[in-house]
Structure formats: structure tokens, C-alpha cells
């Protein structure tokens, strides 16, 4: 059956041989291609653009704005769902890594620095007797004997005069106390832990780290040999134990009332980070003064 074109005349169909490209005009494809002898099955009808008898496209127009918007929304919803699912699935492992990292830092302050990751929690349980919460008056708010639920669970932003974490530890049979400290360096947050001997005045060890200090300068606060080691054996308080004495100052700088027993050298070229550590120690440890002056 022939079709009428826009002028009312009968339109002849065209069929193209897929083998040699020969074009045949007629109602149907030829039984054989006169050029290459290919059978009729190798012919396909040529549909020219603008034919009035072309059937209307059914369904959603994939070239339109509506399709683009709907498609984009569906993709966003699917990606958001997948991200939420993955985040939820990985949450337990992520929390475990954060917990292990924090315990590693506390152990480092106790000079237990080479503990394998798989052994951190076991070593921590052996060393840390309790993670207490005390207040500025030295009163025990929570005894921390259940571990991880009291002082350990206090986030840095929630530390206050009435909510002070204190880790009571035993290292080689000797009592040690670990105090968390937080402050600000040159670019971002700095934090760490200070471990004290049973006299509550002699520093047993420290651990400091940061979020974004300058590599090779301020970032040296994380290095044991170059910075942290010098704190060992230093005195935390002044002679009458009325104030925090431990200080980080520029080498050679004279500070009235500061003895060598409480003096540590600042990092060359990282004055602001060194000052940040100094201020952090004074600000945070001063909250524990009542406890530090209490004999137990």
C-alpha cells in the first residue's frame, strides 16, 4: 500500500540494502538485491525526516526538560540513599577506629607508644584503672570504674569546671594520672594528654597532636624526640603548688619565676604553635589544681 505525501500524491517507499547500499523504490523490498544478490531480509526501509505519517512518539520525551529534571531527582535520591546506607553500615567500624585512636594517644602519654593497633584496647584495659569525672573542687562526679562510659566519653567541647575527665592508671605497679588538654595552635585545634606520677606534680610523659599545623614547624609538637620527650621529669607546678608552672618558652628567653625544672623549649620557627601549647597547658591544668594539691 502506497502512502500519500503532503501534496496528495502517492508516496513511494524506499528500501536500502544493508550489504551494498543499493536503494530500491517500491511498495516492498525486492526479493534479491540486483547489485549484490542479498535477500530481502537484508533491506531496511528508509524513513525520511518530516514525513507526516510518522507515528507520534509514545511515553516521556527524553529530549525535554521534564525528563532531565525527573532523571536528575531520581539519581540524587538514589545516591543519597546509597551514601546514607554506606555511612550507617560503616558507623560501627568508624566509631571503633576513633575509640582506638584516642586510647592510643592516652597510652602514648604514658610512654606506651609502640602498641600494635590490635593490642591497643587490651593494653588500655590493663593500664587504665578508671576514667573518672571530677569537678574543679576535686570531687569525684563519676568513678569511671566501668570504663569508656564516664571520663572517656566526655568530648573536648564538653569539658568544663564541673565535668573534668581524669584517667587513673597503673604502669609497672605505679600510679599515674592522665589529664586531657585542648587548645588552639596557629591554624586550628591542638590537643593532647599529660601523664603525672603519683606525686601529681612530676610529669611522666606527654602526647600532643594537631589538626592543621605547618609541616616541619608547628607539626613538630607531635614528635617525641624533637618536642615531647623534654617534658619528662619536669615539674608541673611552682614550688608552693599554687599555680601551673610548666611552660613552653623560646630558648634563651628569661622568664621571671620560671625555673629550669618547669621550662621546655619552644619550636624554632613555630612561635604561635608553641604559645598555643603553653596556653593550653596553663588553661586546662589549672582547672585540676584542687585535685593536684590533694593527697590521696
Amino acid at each position: 500500500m502506497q502512502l500519500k505525501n503532503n501534496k496528495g500524491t502517492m508516496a513511494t517507499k524506499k528500501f536500502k540494502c544493508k550489504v551494498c547500499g543499493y536503494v530500491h523504490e517500491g511498495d516492498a523490498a525486492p526479493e534479491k538485491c540486483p547489485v549484490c544478490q542479498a535477500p530481502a531480509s537484508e533491506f531496511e526501509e528508509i524513513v525520511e525526516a518530516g514525513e507526516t505519517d510518522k507515528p507520534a512518539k509514545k511515553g516521556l520525551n527524553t529530549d525535554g526538560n521534564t525528563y532531565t529534571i525527573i532523571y536528575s531527582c531520581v539519581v540524587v535520591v538514589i545516591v543519597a540513599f546509597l551514601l546514607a546506607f554506606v555511612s550507617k553500615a560503616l558507623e560501627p567500624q568508624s566509631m571503633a577506629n576513633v575509640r582506638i585512636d584516642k586510647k592510643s594517644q592516652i597510652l602514648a602519654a604514658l610512654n606506651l607508644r609502640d602498641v600494635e593497633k590490635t593490642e591497643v584496647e587490651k593494653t588500655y584495659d590493663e593500664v587504665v584503672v578508671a576514667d573518672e569525672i571530677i569537678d574543679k573542687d576535686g570531687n569525684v562526679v563519676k568513678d569511671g570504674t566501668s570504663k569508656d562510659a564516664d571520663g572517656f566519653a566526655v568530648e573536648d567541647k564538653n569539658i568544663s569546671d564541673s565535668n573534668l575527665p581524669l584517667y587513673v592508671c597503673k604502669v609497672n605497679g605505679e600510679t599515674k594520672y592522665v589529664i586531657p588538654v585542648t587548645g588552639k595552635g596557629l591554624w586550628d585545634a591542638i590537643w593532647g594528654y599529660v601523664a603525672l606520677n603519683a606525686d601529681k606534680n612530676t610529669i611522666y610523659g606527654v602526647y600532643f597532636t594537631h589538626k592543621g599545623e605547618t609541616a616541619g614547624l608547628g607539626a613538630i609538637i607531635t614528635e617525641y624526640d624533637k618536642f615531647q620527650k623534654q617534658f619528662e621529669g619536669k615539674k608541673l607546678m611552682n614550688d608552693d603548688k599554687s599555680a601551673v608552672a610548666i611552660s613552653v618558652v623560646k630558648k634563651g628567653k628569661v622568664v621571671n619565676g620560671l625555673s629550669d625544672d618547669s621550662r621546655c623549649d619552644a619550636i624554632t620557627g613555630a612561635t604561635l604553635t608553641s604559645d598555643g601549647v603553653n596556653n593550653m597547658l596553663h588553661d586546662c591544668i589549672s582547672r585540676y589544681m584542687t585535685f593536684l594539691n590533694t593527697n590521696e
Side-chain angles (χ1 to χ4, degrees):
M1 177 179 179
Q2 291 182 325
L3 302 176
K4 291 183 178 181
N5 60 19
N6 292 336
K7 296 181 180 180
T9 59
M10 302 301 291
T12 302
K13 295 182 179 181
K14 294 182 179 181
F15 300 88
K16 182 178 180 180
C17 177
K18 294 185 288 184
V19 177
C20 67
Y22 167 77
V23 178
H24 171 81
E25 294 186 5
D27 294 336
E31 293 183 1
K32 288 185 179 181
C33 176
V35 177
C36 67
Q37 304 301 310
S41 60
E42 292 298 324
F43 279 79
E44 61 180 0
E45 185 178 357
I46 300 174
V47 180
E48 296 181 355
E51 286 188 335
T52 57
D53 60 331
K54 184 177 181 180
K57 188 176 182 180
K58 296 182 179 180
L60 190 63
N61 179 13
T62 58
D63 296 325
N65 291 334
T66 301
Y67 174 83
T68 302
I69 294 171
I70 294 175
Y71 179 82
S72 299
C73 290
V74 171
V75 170
V76 169
V77 170
I78 292 174
V79 171
F81 173 79
L82 290 175
L83 288 175
F85 175 79
V86 171
S87 176
K88 194 66 176 177
L90 295 178
E91 185 178 3
Q93 184 59 48
S94 177
M95 293 298 292
N97 289 335
V98 171
R99 184 177 67 251
I100 291 172
D101 184 55
K102 184 174 181 177
K103 291 183 176 181
S104 294
Q105 294 178 20
I106 294 171
L107 292 176
L110 292 165
N111 292 321
L112 298 171
R113 296 174 177 266
D114 298 318
V115 182
E116 293 291 334
K117 185 176 180 179
T118 55
E119 296 295 317
V120 167
E121 297 211 83
K122 178 184 176 183
T123 305
Y124 179 90
D125 287 340
E126 293 172 351
V127 171
V128 178
V129 177
D131 55 324
E132 297 179 355
I133 295 178
I134 65 173
D135 61 22
K136 66 181 181 61
D137 297 320
N139 300 312
V140 176
V141 178
K142 293 184 179 180
D143 63 15
T145 53
S146 59
K147 293 186 183 182
D148 293 7
D150 295 330
F152 187 84
V154 177
E155 297 183 15
D156 291 344
K157 63 181 180 180
N158 295 325
I159 295 177
S160 66
D161 288 347
S162 60
N163 199 37
L164 300 171
L166 175 68
Y167 300 88
V168 183
C169 312
K170 286 284 186 181
V171 178
N172 297 324
E174 297 181 354
T175 299
K176 309 292 179 185
Y177 300 100
V178 177
I179 296 174
V181 291
T182 60
K184 191 176 188 311
L186 171 60
W187 302 113
D188 214 318
I190 55 176
W191 66 94
Y193 298 90
V194 177
L196 304 174
N197 286 334
D199 64 1
K200 300 181 182 178
N201 190 30
T202 306
I203 296 178
Y204 180 69
V206 300
Y207 176 84
F208 302 123
T209 190
H210 66 92
K211 188 174 181 180
E213 298 307 290
T214 307
L217 293 174
I220 291 176
I221 65 171
T222 65
E223 299 184 31
Y224 175 71
D225 289 330
K226 292 184 179 180
F227 188 70
Q228 298 174 11
K229 185 178 181 180
Q230 64 177 326
F231 285 83
E232 296 174 10
K234 297 291 184 178
K235 296 301 179 182
L236 188 70
M237 297 179 284
N238 57 9
D239 291 340
D240 62 4
K241 297 185 177 181
S242 61
V244 176
I246 188 69
S247 298
V248 179
V249 296
K250 186 176 180 179
K251 190 172 183 179
K253 181 179 179 180
V254 177
V255 179
N256 292 333
L258 179 62
S259 68
D260 289 341
D261 288 342
S262 299
R263 182 189 184 107
C264 292
D265 292 333
I267 301 168
T268 302
T271 301
L272 293 180
T273 302
S274 299
D275 289 345
V277 174
N278 183 72
N279 295 334
M280 173 176 70
L281 293 172
H282 283 254
D283 293 343
C284 295
I285 295 176
S286 61
R287 290 174 165 177
Y288 292 80
M289 288 303 295
T290 301
F291 163 77
L292 296 172
N293 281 283
T294 302
N295 294 322
E296 294 183 355

